[in-house]
Amino acid sequence: MTPIPPTDDRFARGSRALAEIDGHGGEAVVAALADIAPDFARYLVEFPFGDIYCRPGLDLRMREIATIAALTALGHATPQLKVHLRAGLNVGLTRGEIVEVLMQMAVYAGFPAALNGLFAAKEVFAEA
Amino acid sequence: MTPIPPTDDRFARGSRALAEIDGHGGEAVVAALADIAPDFARYLVEFPFGDIYCRPGLDLRMREIATIAALTALGHATPQLKVHLRAGLNVGLTRGEIVEVLMQMAVYAGFPAALNGLFAAKEVFAEA
Amino acid sequence: MTPIPPTDDRFARGSRALAEIDGHGGEAVVAALADIAPDFARYLVEFPFGDIYCRPGLDLRMREIATIAALTALGHATPQLKVHLRAGLNVGLTRGEIVEVLMQMAVYAGFPAALNGLFAAKEVFAEA
Amino acid sequence: MTPIPPTDDRFARGSRALAEIDGHGGEAVVAALADIAPDFARYLVEFPFGDIYCRPGLDLRMREIATIAALTALGHATPQLKVHLRAGLNVGLTRGEIVEVLMQMAVYAGFPAALNGLFAAKEVFAEA
Amino acid sequence: MTPIPPTDDRFARGSRALAEIDGHGGEAVVAALADIAPDFARYLVEFPFGDIYCRPGLDLRMREIATIAALTALGHATPQLKVHLRAGLNVGLTRGEIVEVLMQMAVYAGFPAALNGLFAAKEVFAEA
Amino acid sequence: MTPIPPTDDRFARGSRALAEIDGHGGEAVVAALADIAPDFARYLVEFPFGDIYCRPGLDLRMREIATIAALTALGHATPQLKVHLRAGLNVGLTRGEIVEVLMQMAVYAGFPAALNGLFAAKEVFAEA
């Protein structure tokens, strides 16, 4: 098993990753948790961003493709999908690539899931 | 709207894509449908493979990342996930990249979905 | 609100409906519950079969179409889907009609859910 | 395998089916896709409506029962469920039959899914 | 099998349980069903509340933990989750205990499901 | 935000919690990950067990009720459900309490999910 870095690193590293990937969207989620579940805000920074997104084996464009695909397929995670549609643009995916991923979800999760993903993208792209 | 090619092209194109991407796994699914739903075998070749996977806007490695992520997150599609774990290797993803995608699903669909995906990959990698 | 019949009727009525619709498959499920959750066996007879399937507003063929569609779309209910594929045949659906419903699920729940439903039907039809 | 008709037919046939089944609801979805994913609008007309709904083996009332059941059970497809609640009325289902299908979903997908379906129907019926 | 009490008891017993557990939230759901599916209102009182919540083997605090966990994990049942977040407080769970359950769902259903649950709790706690 | 303990503590603490809660089942999962995703084995010990299950705000019996409810409702996590049915017994839940939770899931996730949960419990209880 690889050596385990100290936790402080996880939080600092996760905060940088969150800012790079999700921008203000990620900060807003963390801030909204402050009065109800501050420890959960910490876990959200540490595990998904400090542990997973910082891993070297997959670049951030590929990680966002995986996340956008999964959130579209799950169907119940529209707010998080919007955050990651913005994140996909932040890390260098084009609108066209994102639309391809959303369309492909019709095959695996059905047309309604793909349509809801495309309409979420329409909103996010209109803001940018 | 872009010009619509004749359907024959969709089927021929989809067959080539299916063979390239899924190899024998795809052919086996099509063959298994022959006596219960032959038209569905045709749709499976035409729409996912003839229409979607042949589109130029996303390379096959990225398409397989999206598919592996979605099938892992959905959780009820283990046979199809195994077909696409093999497909991921066929189109050039490394085992390490596939494992990264599967681990990342713990964040979005929970640890059980990620674990089931990792154990499916363990089986598929052992065969290869 | 319509008058409420005594519960004895619900159980007797549900038992008759279960036998008519699911045949031995329903009885087997009830029997398998006897040592772990006998009250749940009773609820299963009373609510789905005594209350819902006995209602006059929809014939049993239509009810089984709804059930087969839902169980295929949910994806995690293969044992129950098999019981209701047999039930569909029992109440007069043809194999062709059942296959149409299963194929249609590709549109709403994705190709993997439809494929898993078709392969479950293949098994059930082979037994008959 | 049955002969494959040219794609032009699929689009024309699907457009007629979409208009007959979903009325303005279907057209509105297609129009909303025009600026984000026009090819997906075409696929939506061609595959679900040109390929599946036009098949002869199941009448449209039965197809809408299957769709309403699946969308209610999935739970994440409320906009599409509303389109198909209207479609069910368009193809000749009565309000009573639709309510029966929605209630039955409590058995297979739980009371929350059924309640959300019934409240969607309440909105759709109030508009008509 | 235990003796089956008359249905009148189920409805009366369920009404008392519903009032105790869900308070006005439960009554509002029942009232909203009156014009679209009055029988379903009756089933909702009878089966979940008259049959299940009245059973002696598990206290109401534990039952609400199970319900809050399940509704958070399912992801498509936000209105029902809010009713049961209030119900959890009604039967004696503390805000802290409810937040623990919601956070734990990140492990089993992913961070988006947990976040959506926490933000639903934030709304419900703000009203109280 | 509370002070963050060093990661070593998380892993050691999580290992103790995993052993206490899941017994050999947890160790077997960790061991099975060793050759495919050893870092994921570490995350599994650290986040769910080191971070979440060790939190003081909810006792382990309540945590296992939440987990059993969620895994039953999700429907695609049977191997993990079996691990946690054993875990429930390990931390002091009675078989009767576990059966109550599983039956209650019929209300929220449908009868098939509850039945699959009850049959998983039947297997687990038979081994003990």
Side-chain angles (χ1 to χ4, degrees), chain D residues 15-76:
Chain D
S15 297
R16 284 194 304 272
L18 182 67
E20 180 188 345
I21 295 167
D22 283 356
H24 296 307
E27 285 167 31
V29 170
V30 167
L33 288 167
D35 59 350
I36 180 136
D39 289 351
F40 197 74
R42 179 158 61 80
Y43 298 144
L44 181 65
V45 171
E46 288 177 352
F47 175 60
F49 293 95
D51 284 343
I52 298 289
Y53 278 89
C54 289
R55 293 177 59 84
L58 201 66
D59 73 35
L60 287 176
R61 288 168 65 247
M62 282 169 141
R63 287 203 184 276
E64 286 302 330
I65 282 176
T67 299
I68 290 168
L71 294 175
T72 304
L74 286 171
H76 64 251

Side-chain angles (χ1 to χ4, degrees), chain F residues 80-125:
Chain F
Q80 291 78 27
L81 176 59
K82 286 183 188 172
V83 168
H84 282 279
L85 289 166
R86 287 182 204 103
L89 297 173
N90 287 346
V91 302
L93 291 174
T94 66
R95 292 180 177 205
E97 286 168 334
I98 288 172
V99 167
E100 289 297 324
V101 172
L102 297 171
M103 293 198 301
Q104 188 172 320
M105 291 304 103
V107 176
Y108 297 106
F111 278 73
L115 284 168
N116 290 336
L118 287 164
F119 291 131
K122 190 168 165 166
E123 275 185 55
V124 167
F125 295 172

Side-chain angles (χ1 to χ4, degrees), chain C residues 47-48 53 55 57-58 61-63 65-67 69-71 73-74 84 97 100-101 103-105 107-108 111, chain D residues 47-48 53 55 57-58 61-63 65-67 69-70 73-74 84 97 100-101 103-105 107-108 111:
Chain C
F47 175 58
Y53 278 88
R55 293 178 61 84
L58 203 66
R61 287 169 65 250
M62 285 169 137
R63 288 203 183 276
I65 283 176
T67 298
L71 293 175
L74 286 170
H84 282 279
E97 287 169 332
E100 289 298 324
V101 172
M103 293 198 302
Q104 188 171 321
M105 291 306 102
V107 176
Y108 297 105
F111 278 74
Chain D
F47 175 60
Y53 278 89
R55 293 177 59 84
L58 201 66
R61 288 168 65 247
M62 282 169 141
R63 287 203 184 276
I65 282 176
T67 299
L74 286 171
H84 282 279
E97 287 169 332
E100 290 297 325
V101 172
M103 294 197 303
Q104 187 172 323
M105 292 303 103
V107 176
Y108 298 106
F111 278 75

Side-chain angles (χ1 to χ4, degrees), chain C residues 1-8 10-11 30 38-43 46-47 51-52 55, chain E residues 1-8 10-11 30 38-43 46-47 51-52 55:
Chain C
M1 228 167 262
T2 56
I4 301 165
T7 295
D8 295 342
R10 293 173 74 233
F11 187 77
V30 167
D39 288 352
F40 197 74
R42 179 158 60 80
Y43 297 146
E46 287 177 352
F47 175 58
D51 284 345
I52 298 291
R55 293 178 61 84
Chain E
M1 232 170 259
T2 57
I4 302 164
T7 295
D8 295 343
R10 292 173 73 232
F11 187 77
V30 167
D39 288 352
F40 197 75
R42 179 159 60 80
Y43 298 143
E46 288 177 352
F47 175 59
D51 284 344
I52 298 290
R55 294 177 60 84

Side-chain angles (χ1 to χ4, degrees), chain A residues 62 65-66 69 96-108, chain B residues 17 21 47-49 51-71 84 87-88 91 93 101, chain D residues 39 43:
Chain A
M62 283 170 139
I65 282 177
E97 287 170 332
I98 289 172
V99 166
E100 290 297 325
V101 172
L102 297 171
M103 293 198 303
Q104 187 172 322
M105 291 303 103
V107 176
Y108 298 105
Chain B
I21 296 166
F47 175 59
F49 293 94
D51 284 344
I52 298 290
Y53 278 88
C54 287
R55 293 177 60 84
L58 202 65
D59 71 36
L60 287 177
R61 287 170 65 250
M62 283 168 139
R63 288 204 184 275
E64 286 302 329
I65 283 177
T67 298
I68 289 167
L71 293 175
H84 282 279
V91 302
L93 292 173
V101 172
Chain D
D39 289 351
Y43 298 144

